Amino acid sequence: MHDEKHMRAALREAARGLGQTSPNPAVGAVIVRGGRVLARGFHQRVGLPHAEIEALRMLKNPALARGATIYVTLEPCSTHGRTPPCVEAIVRAGFARVVIGTVDPNPAHAGRGVGLLRAAGIAVTCGVLESECRELNAGFNQWIVTRMPLVIAKAGMSLDGRLTRPPGEGQWLTSAASRADAMRLRTQVDAILIGAQTLRADNPRLTIRGVPGARQPWRVIVTRSGDLPKNAHVFTDAHRDRTLVFRGKNLRAVLRELGRREITSVLLEGGGRVLGEAFDRRLVDRVQFYVAPLLCGGPVPAVGGRGVGATAEAPLLRNPRYDKIGSDLRLTAEVEYPGALSAA
């Protein structure tokens, strides 16, 4: 019980870095001695000290680490990267015990830090609140193994699955509360992707608003023709250097290139053609849909594409969660594709 309590505190620390650390994972650490929390830390940005080092820096007296326990949401790094390995710092500090939420998902490093700590005579416990610690870095976990970003399909739609109101009736279907919730989702991803038609029709800014200190994600535009409005916000505002355009490439190729650029998570914000292609090619990992209590009708669905030939071929939403946000319903789920064959 005590281990879970202190790991939850480490998870709260880690959450403070969400959206700020990519391509590194968000990690939190808590130092405990005699049941009392002495220091906390989290990884703030790539290139800055990791959570364990931040927690050690917060100790009023470094000698207090000797014989203490450190709780870390992710296995401490064991190799030199942008920063020195945290395993060495933990050993030097004299900790008696290290409690780890989840091991490093990188196959090249998984378990190596645990082995080095145990070889140094430190007691190590792994797997405390493992699912919560793993979920915290879903994008990193996928990217570090596959080099493809985690893809989240997000849409605000009417109850009958339409994305827009009738012409001349404004841009928004969903409530202000839903839009604020979706803005928080933007702060947790590396990139936001839309199609050319959405850019032409809506001229979206794709920026972070109302969340001080949040990092601006990359803005990705996919286009077949390359005929894009040069005065669009994404090409003229203060974040124009965070805009990428891909012309004539299928979505899988675009995502592969984003992965090469160390982009670990992508939010697909439309339109229906892009979402349709993403599902057709089995590229969507998660959905976050906001459903307004409206019936709009019209010919353009929220998710277009070829669709499936039979119900048994349809993507499944696994572990769905339904929450009321303002006047709307928010659906979040993981996407599972039937069968073992990959899409084209």
Side-chain angles (χ1 to χ4, degrees):
M1 289 296 293
H2 290 299
D3 282 351
E4 289 191 2
K5 171 187 172 183
H6 295 311
M7 188 59 73
R8 289 199 188 283
L11 276 165
R12 288 193 292 272
E13 287 297 306
R16 297 173 65 186
L18 274 177
Q20 306 295 318
T21 63
S22 187
N24 288 354
V27 183
V30 174
I31 297 172
V32 177
R33 188 185 183 105
R36 179 168 164 253
V37 174
L38 301 181
R40 309 167 192 262
F42 70 100
H43 184 37
Q44 298 180 29
R45 288 185 186 273
V46 64
L48 295 182
H50 290 181
E52 302 92 322
I53 308 305
E54 290 286 1
L56 281 166
R57 288 180 172 182
M58 295 301 293
L59 277 176
K60 293 181 179 179
N61 181 357
L64 293 173
R66 189 159 297 279
T69 297
I70 184 167
Y71 291 81
V72 191
T73 56
L74 181 68
E75 178 182 8
C77 62
S78 56
T79 57
H80 282 269
R82 292 180 175 93
T83 59
C86 293
V87 165
E88 293 180 3
I90 289 172
V91 172
R92 282 198 308 270
F95 284 102
R97 183 173 179 237
V98 178
V99 181
I100 296 168
T102 184
V103 297
D104 191 333
N106 187 342
H109 301 152
R112 188 171 186 271
V114 172
L116 291 171
L117 291 169
R118 286 175 173 159
I122 297 174
V124 179
T125 300
C126 294
V128 176
L129 300 184
E130 183 174 10
S131 60
E132 290 94 328
C133 291
R134 191 185 305 116
E135 173 62 23
L136 186 75
N137 290 299
F140 170 80
N141 295 345
Q142 174 163 308
W143 173 79
I144 199 66
V145 175
T146 67
R147 295 294 160 169
M148 287 282 280
L150 183 82
V151 175
I152 305 168
K154 172 257 172 181
M157 66 183 74
S158 60
L159 188 59
D160 54 343
R162 267 49 185 177
L163 289 177
T164 57
R165 289 180 180 272
E169 293 196 9
Q171 185 178 0
W172 305 114
L173 284 172
T174 55
S175 66
S178 288
R179 298 197 297 275
D181 187 76
M183 188 64 67
R184 286 188 288 273
L185 178 60
R186 281 184 178 180
T187 69
Q188 298 174 16
V189 299
D190 292 347
I192 305 166
L193 186 150
I194 63 170
Q197 184 55 38
T198 297
L199 182 70
R200 297 186 196 105
D202 298 339
N203 191 19
R205 296 181 183 275
L206 306 181
T207 53
I208 303 296
R209 301 180 294 279
V211 187
R215 183 179 65 166
Q216 171 62 42
W218 287 96
R219 301 177 297 190
V220 181
I221 316 300
V222 292
T223 173
R224 295 178 181 178
S225 67
D227 181 20
L228 301 174
K230 293 182 175 56
N231 61 346
H233 295 308
V234 295
F235 301 135
T236 58
D237 67 12
H239 303 292
R240 56 188 175 274
D241 61 337
R242 298 283 286 175
T243 299
L244 300 171
V245 175
F246 292 90
R247 179 182 178 183
K249 287 190 174 184
N250 68 53
L251 201 50
R252 187 181 298 278
V254 171
L255 292 171
R256 191 175 290 116
E257 174 59 26
L258 295 179
R260 281 194 287 266
R261 292 172 179 257
E262 298 189 328
I263 290 173
T264 68
S265 55
V266 175
L267 187 63
L268 299 186
E269 292 208 8
R273 180 182 293 173
V274 168
L275 291 180
E277 181 186 350
F279 280 105
D280 284 345
R281 294 182 180 273
R282 298 186 168 200
L283 296 172
V284 177
D285 300 296
R286 300 185 175 197
V287 300
Q288 186 148 319
F289 290 159
Y290 299 86
V291 183
L294 300 168
L295 296 169
C296 291
V300 183
V303 178
R306 298 190 308 266
V308 297
T311 303
E313 300 171 3
L316 305 174
L317 299 186
R318 188 158 49 88
N319 302 321
R321 176 174 171 175
Y322 305 91
D323 297 290
K324 192 172 185 297
I325 306 288
S327 59
D328 307 323
L329 184 70
R330 181 185 67 189
L331 165 63
T332 55
E334 300 166 25
V335 180
E336 181 178 289
Y337 298 95
L341 294 178
S342 61

